[in-house]
Amino acid sequence: MKTPNYHDFYQKALIPIGLNDRMSLQESDAFYPGSPSTHWLIAVEGVQLSQPKIYFHWKVSIYPADCEGDFNWKKPYYCSPNMELIDQANAFASSLVASSKKDELSSVSLLEKIS
């Protein structure tokens, strides 16, 4: 697996995981039993395209993290499709931050929207 591009990794939020979202996390591939994951780390990540000039697309990722922001980059809870514009990724990340603060990150309507 290719190591992530942390040069173009922009953390947007570290938000405590609510009860509803915790139950959803426990049913996901990102869950580790006994893990200290207490927060969501929401980030915009640059994805370098394969071409002669350096050019990026952007994706929004959600990682379970501990209270200090430590997370496993190999097991995201969610990764969006690539977006051409960083502004589009930032706006989407902001909407995920708002949903996570309301403990609605795992809601059916949101999951349909982000899938």
Side-chain angles (χ1 to χ4, degrees):
M1 176 179 262
K2 186 177 176 183
T3 304
N5 176 11
Y6 287 116
H7 180 71
D8 292 296
F9 182 92
Y10 304 100
Q11 180 177 327
K12 302 298 283 181
L14 188 62
I15 299 165
I17 300 173
L19 183 59
N20 292 327
D21 289 340
R22 177 167 304 287
M23 290 188 322
S24 178
L25 171 61
Q26 290 173 345
E27 296 173 3
S28 76
D29 291 338
F31 180 70
Y32 288 103
S35 160
S37 297
T38 55
H39 289 71
W40 292 124
L41 184 144
I42 300 174
V44 174
E45 299 181 59
V47 180
Q48 189 170 350
L49 301 178
S50 299
Q51 58 185 40
K53 284 189 169 188
I54 295 177
Y55 185 73
F56 288 92
H57 276 176
W58 303 91
K59 68 179 179 178
V60 178
S61 299
I62 302 171
Y63 297 94
D66 67 16
C67 62
E68 295 178 3
D70 292 334
F71 66 99
N72 181 346
W73 62 268
K74 293 181 181 179
K75 291 286 190 170
Y77 174 72
Y78 170 78
C79 285
S80 73
N82 291 348
M83 300 172 213
E84 288 187 36
L85 304 175
I86 193 169
D87 291 341
Q88 182 183 14
N90 280 326
F92 184 56
S94 293
S95 72
L96 294 177
V97 167
S99 293
S100 66
K101 286 180 179 178
K102 297 180 206 171
D103 193 21
E104 296 175 346
L105 195 58
S106 60
S107 72
V108 174
S109 61
L110 182 62
L111 290 176
E112 289 174 358
K113 181 179 174 184
I114 62 180
S115 295

